[in-house]
Amino acid sequence: MRNSRALAAAGAAVAVLGLAAPTAAAWDTPSNIVALPSVIARGGQLTVTVDGCPRGGTMTSRAFSTTHLTPVRGANQTSRGVATIKRDARPGSYDITVNCSGRTLTRPAAFTVIGGVRGGIGGSSSSGATPADVAIGGGLVVAAVAGGGLFWMRRRAERRI
């Protein structure tokens, strides 16, 4: 009877340790990669947050150079890094691969690069009003004058009655 109790206690101890060991190892495994913003222009800065990466690591992509991840204070098992998108990156979806504590995780299509923004000319390369703008504006002025004239004529006719 004593042997069976000792055997049961040893079996329970092995079971508890066997279940706890994978859980402890899972804490150092990257589990979630979040890239913000999810759509970014070339030359922009991308913030990547990784869960399950308590000691930091590195992140790589074809759209940016290898960048370091640093642990976030106050957040358990989380690291963060900021990468600058290459100016010659082609528009499209890109993967991010993270390496934390010797373990890697890849998130496919983590973010999308769009073409660069043309700045400095207000989104247009023409100056002044186009013929269509002039025609629309002229039509609105004629409609306003005609509507105002009709309204004034009706009000004037009502006063005489």
Side-chain angles (χ1 to χ4, degrees):
M1 180 111 161
R2 287 187 179 167
N3 287 338
S4 62
R5 284 186 186 168
L7 187 58
V14 167
V16 168
L17 289 175
L19 292 174
T23 305
W27 284 107
D28 288 346
T29 301
S31 60
N32 188 26
I33 300 171
V34 178
L36 293 175
S38 60
V39 177
I40 189 166
R42 294 178 280 202
Q45 289 193 324
L46 182 74
T47 301
V48 178
T49 305
V50 182
D51 294 335
C53 190
R55 293 185 286 275
T58 59
M59 61 180 175
T60 58
S61 176
R62 289 187 345 237
F64 57 82
S65 302
T66 300
T67 305
H68 292 284
L69 294 166
T70 56
V72 177
R73 283 185 176 201
N76 281 341
Q77 313 296 324
T78 302
S79 291
R80 181 175 294 144
V82 177
T84 301
I85 304 300
K86 295 176 184 176
R87 295 209 179 269
D88 62 347
R90 291 181 166 240
S93 295
Y94 287 89
D95 304 344
I96 295 177
T97 300
V98 172
N99 185 350
C100 294
S101 302
R103 294 194 168 97
T104 60
L105 176 67
T106 299
R107 178 166 179 217
F111 64 97
T112 303
V113 173
I114 58 174
V117 178
R118 288 182 61 189
I121 57 172
S124 172
S125 58
S126 65
S127 61
T130 64
D133 294 335
V134 172
I136 292 170
L140 289 173
V141 169
V142 168
V145 169
L150 287 173
F151 180 75
W152 183 68
M153 293 298 286
R154 285 184 53 99
R155 296 282 295 181
R156 187 170 164 210
E158 289 176 0
R159 288 187 195 157
R160 291 188 178 175
I161 295 178

